[in-house]
Amino acid sequence: MKRWITLTIGLVFLLVGGVWVLQGAGVLTGSFMTGQKLWFLIGLVAFLVGVVLVAATARRSRQGGRAR
C-alpha cells in the first residue's frame, strides 16, 4: 500500500512541477508566476523530486516482493 502512496505523491509532484516550470518559462500565461525565474526553479525541483519518487517506486516494484 505504501508503494501506491509514494507513486501518487510522485505523480503529483511531476504534474505540479511541470506546470510551474511552464509558467515560470512563460509558456503558460495568466498567473502571477508567469515569466518568473523563481517559479521555474521551484517547478524544476518539484519535477525532479517527482521523477525520483516515481523511479524509486518503479525500481522497488521490479525487485519483487511487497514492501513491509
Side-chain angles (χ1 to χ4, degrees):
M1 177 124 131
K2 183 180 177 185
R3 194 171 38 202
W4 290 105
I5 294 170
T6 305
L7 180 62
T8 302
I9 291 171
L11 290 174
V12 168
F13 269 98
L14 279 172
L15 291 173
V16 172
V19 169
W20 287 348
V21 164
L22 292 174
Q23 286 180 326
V27 175
L28 292 177
T29 59
S31 171
F32 68 93
M33 295 185 276
T34 301
Q36 300 293 316
K37 188 176 183 179
L38 175 65
W39 286 104
F40 177 82
L41 295 174
I42 292 171
L44 190 59
V45 170
F47 187 83
L48 292 175
V49 167
V51 167
V52 168
L53 288 174
V54 169
T57 304
R59 194 176 88 215
R60 235 183 305 154
S61 66
R62 270 190 268 134
Q63 289 177 350
R66 292 186 175 171
R68 293 171 205 222

